Amino acid sequence: MKTAIRADVFQDLKGVGCPMNLVKTKVAFAKMESGQILGLILDNGPPINNVPRSVIREGHEILSQEQLADGTWSVLIRKA
Amino acid sequence: MIDFTEEQLERYSRHILLDDVGVAGQEKLLQAKVIIVGAGGLGSPAALYLAAAGVGTIGIVDSDVVEVSNLQRQIAHFSADIGAAKVESAAAKMQAINPDVEVRTYREYLCAANIRKILAGYDFVIDGTDNFPTKFLVNDACVFLNIPFSHGGILRFNGQTMTVVPGQTACYRCSFRSPPPPDAVPSCAQAGVLGAVAGMLGTIQAAEALKHITGAGELLTNTLLTFDARTMAFRRIRLKKQESCPLCGPHPVITELADVERTVCTVQ
Ligand SMILES: [Zn+2]
């Protein structure tokens, strides 16, 4: 199913390992307004296991998380 | 917001990842101005850590040249620097660690006549001096200029440090009224000091500066932290801002800067 929600800011973090994927996510959030939505592409494995967890810990909300055909993950997060 | 370069994101990633620092904290660091008084045992580690942290402007004050006896603890200086000005030697290492930072060198001996001009405009002062008259002078000048600072002292295996936010927390004179008479307390040169103790204390001072700038945690205010490296026992002594303080109390006796050394000398 295609996600109906549109991201305000999109970052393709394919090939970006831990922890730089989280650093880049934090930088993206710093430029956004509260309530805006960040769309991320994260690699399978440690990135999809770690980034959403860290983002939740900082109070942001994961709206959806789905695996794409190439194995990477599309994640939508609402900024706290 | 600063547009971090890819290299800066990598360089400061371990700060950005910290919830209490983050992107905003790293921006504050890059825009901050900290001055270190003394490029010796305490000033060396403080200078290197502040440069590594990306503190945008770092002043460093010292009139001495590097001597071989400094190298056991003053880790910003290398054997090849013997004879060079300490401020230049330290500045070269700071720039080598992080070209993002601007280092301002003051090859001067701090005294009542020049201290206001040198410290004015900085956000935080690290006192890494090795003598009581200058420690009191730094305290007094910081209170007059309203600049938060970290006091530090080391001797043998011992260190002590406290952070002062003028007008809000106990100043050095709230607890220690005036410098001890010369020769009442041995200097490092006479008593010796374990090299790593300088690193322990100077690094605490650097952490206090970084905390002050980023707003992370709680500063070491109204508290004298002391340690004895022989047992690694740390103690926190609670201090209070004193109504009777001759400097920061409501009825100050000290209303201008003076070179304490000179007044002591005239008594002799
Ligand atoms: Zn006081």
Side-chain angles (χ1 to χ4, degrees), chain B residues 170-171 173-174 245 247-249:
Chain B
C171 86
R173 277 196 199 266
C174 283
C245 178
L247 180 71
C248 75

Side-chain angles (χ1 to χ4, degrees), chain B residues 10 23 30 77-78 83 122 204-205 240 248 258:
Chain B
E10 295 241 13
V23 178
L30 287 164
H77 312 304
F78 302 167
Y122 283 96
I204 292 173
Q205 293 185 282
K240 266 171 79 177
C248 75

Side-chain angles (χ1 to χ4, degrees), chain B residues 11 47-49 51-53 92-100:
Chain B
R11 180 185 287 276
L48 300 181
Y49 272 112
K93 312 318 179 333
M94 293 158 77
Q95 302 270 216
I97 291 174
N98 190 350
D100 278 354

Side-chain angles (χ1 to χ4, degrees), chain B residues 139 143 164 169-175 177 240-249:
Chain B
N139 178 74
V143 168
V164 176
T169 70
C171 86
Y172 190 56
R173 277 196 199 266
C174 283
S175 311
R177 287 300 150 94
K240 266 171 79 177
K241 192 171 184 303
Q242 299 291 334
E243 288 276 301
S244 57
C245 178
L247 180 71
C248 75

Side-chain angles (χ1 to χ4, degrees), chain B residues 177-201:
Chain B
R177 287 300 150 94
S178 54
D183 300 327
V185 180
S187 68
C188 271
Q190 290 161 319
V193 62
L194 190 74
V197 164
M200 290 170 67
L201 202 95

Side-chain angles (χ1 to χ4, degrees), chain B residues 3 11 45 50-51 65 67 76 80 82 103 112 124 127 130 145 152 163 178 182 186 195 202 221 224 254 266:
Chain B
D3 272 315
R11 180 185 287 276
L50 295 185
V65 296
E67 294 173 32
I82 291 168
V103 182
F124 194 88
D127 171 16
D130 60 358
L145 293 167
T163 300
S178 54
T221 50
L224 184 73
I254 302 161
T266 53

